[in-house]
């Protein structure tokens, strides 16, 4: 069985649209865990567009499974991660103008910074993962430079998720290839980005991928399947 870490960022996106107190990502995380998610993922972005530092503090208290914090390799984020001690940190590239994480880290150019941050987190017992595209050279570089401090990597499944037919099959092959490379090197392998119920099956079937991180499709679906009850509740309240 592949583990599922539910990313609740977009529950916070909806909350921040009104700067309201709801919907609460902590409540969403509790529901996700009750339904079988083995962990919760959040991305505390430098611009705080969705998840806030207070959400991290509260989730640290409430999450029963693995709390995975996605973050940029900045000093600010490193300090925050060390303060709250999530079970895992996934280091991601972050560009201010991007809508969502675009592409994995280029370890060949940013590897030194990654190692510097990973060293500090690892010393506090935080599992460190890095988000990378399914390119063998990234895994080779990780194995030869950072595997003392980085326990694993998350494969960016975006190219697979946005492809169809033969192109999707080719992307899946790349994911399987880097998974095998990582496992051979003793690393843990995670994957995610753009996965939904229509495309998740083949990725979940790749042996050795420990966990999938899925957010946007789950939160989007939750809005629609919850609409019926929400409208009924409002009509009841109107009397
Ligand atoms: N993994 C990483 C590193 C991400 O940045 C994201 C998006 O926040 C995800 C997984 C989840 O992607 P999605 O929201 O498309 O399921």
């Amino acid at each position: 069985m592949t583990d599922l870490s539910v990313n609740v960022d977009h529950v916070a996106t909806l909350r921040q649209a009104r700067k309201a107190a709801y919907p609460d990502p902590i409540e969403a995380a509790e529901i996700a865990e009750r339904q079988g998610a083995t962990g919760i993922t959040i991305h505390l972005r430098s611009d705080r567009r969705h998840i806030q530092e207070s959400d991290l503090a509260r989730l640290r208290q409430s999450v029963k499974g693995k709390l995975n914090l996605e973050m940029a390799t900045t000093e600010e984020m490193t300090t925050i991660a060390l303060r709250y001690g999530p079970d895992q940190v996934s280091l991601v590239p972050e560009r201010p103008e991007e809508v969502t994480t675009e592409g994995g880290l280029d370890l060949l150019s940013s590897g030194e910074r990654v190692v510097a941050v990973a060293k500090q987190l690892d010393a506090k017992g935080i599992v460190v993962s890095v988000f990378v595209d399914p390119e063998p050279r990234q895994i080779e570089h990780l194995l030869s430079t950072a595997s003392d401090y980085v326990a694993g990597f998350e494969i960016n499944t975006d190219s697979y998720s946005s492809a169809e037919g033969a192109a999707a099959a080719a992307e899946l092959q790349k994911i399987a290839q880097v998974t095998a490379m990582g496992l051979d090197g003793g690393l843990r392998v995670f994957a995610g980005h753009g996965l939904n119920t229509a495309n998740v099956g083949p990725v979940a079937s790749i042996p050795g991928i420990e966990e999938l991180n899925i957010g946007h499709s789950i939160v989007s679906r939750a809005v629609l399947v919850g609409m019926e009850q929400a409208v009924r509740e409002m009509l009841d309240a109107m009397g």
Side-chain angles (χ1 to χ4, degrees), residues 4-190:
L4 170 65
S5 183
V6 174
N7 180 316
V8 295
D9 288 353
H10 295 305
V11 178
T13 301
L14 198 53
R15 178 191 63 190
Q16 295 309 109
R18 279 283 180 95
K19 300 270 188 291
Y22 64 89
D24 188 358
I26 285 70
E27 236 181 291
E30 282 168 2
I31 296 169
E33 286 201 291
R34 275 205 300 279
Q35 293 311 312
T38 45
I40 298 298
T41 293
I42 50 170
H43 184 174
L44 183 66
R45 297 187 76 102
S46 302
D47 64 9
R48 306 294 196 275
R49 67 173 75 157
H50 38 55
I51 291 293
Q52 308 296 306
E53 193 176 330
S54 56
D55 294 323
L56 170 58
R58 292 164 66 224
L59 285 165
R60 179 60 296 186
Q61 298 302 316
S62 67
V63 170
K64 295 184 171 63
K66 182 172 85 174
L67 177 60
N68 175 35
L69 172 66
E70 292 174 5
M71 59 173 232
T73 56
T74 60
E75 272 183 33
E76 183 205 12
M77 287 302 156
T78 308
T79 304
I80 290 174
L82 293 172
R83 183 180 306 144
Y84 295 102
D87 302 295
Q88 180 175 316
V89 162
S90 298
L91 298 174
V92 298
E94 203 177 286
R95 297 171 193 91
E97 68 286 358
E98 69 190 0
V99 173
T100 181
T101 313
E102 288 169 0
L105 285 164
D106 179 11
L107 297 174
L108 283 71
S109 63
S110 63
E112 277 183 32
R113 180 74 203 139
V114 166
V115 171
V117 173
K119 247 186 198 176
Q120 297 178 64
L121 300 172
D122 177 67
K124 293 283 178 197
I126 299 171
V127 170
V128 182
S129 169
V130 291
F131 186 57
V132 290
D133 293 332
E135 294 173 356
R137 66 196 181 114
Q138 298 293 341
I139 312 307
E140 280 159 11
H141 195 76
L142 176 58
L143 285 168
S144 64
T145 58
S147 55
D148 284 349
Y149 310 104
V150 176
F153 59 91
E154 179 182 347
I155 303 166
N156 179 9
T157 53
D158 187 49
S159 298
Y160 161 75
S161 302
S162 33
E164 284 174 20
E171 290 299 330
L172 193 67
Q173 194 46 46
K174 287 188 204 168
I175 296 170
Q177 185 192 358
V178 295
T179 298
M181 285 177 71
L183 294 175
D184 280 353
L187 294 173
R188 297 170 68 177
V189 182
F190 315 105

Side-chain angles (χ1 to χ4, degrees), residues 207-230:
I209 297 186
E210 184 177 322
E211 176 191 80
L212 298 178
N213 293 335
I214 307 179
H216 188 258
S217 68
I218 294 175
V219 175
S220 303
R221 178 76 179 140
V223 170
L224 289 190
V225 297
M227 191 57 85
E228 188 178 322
Q229 184 176 338

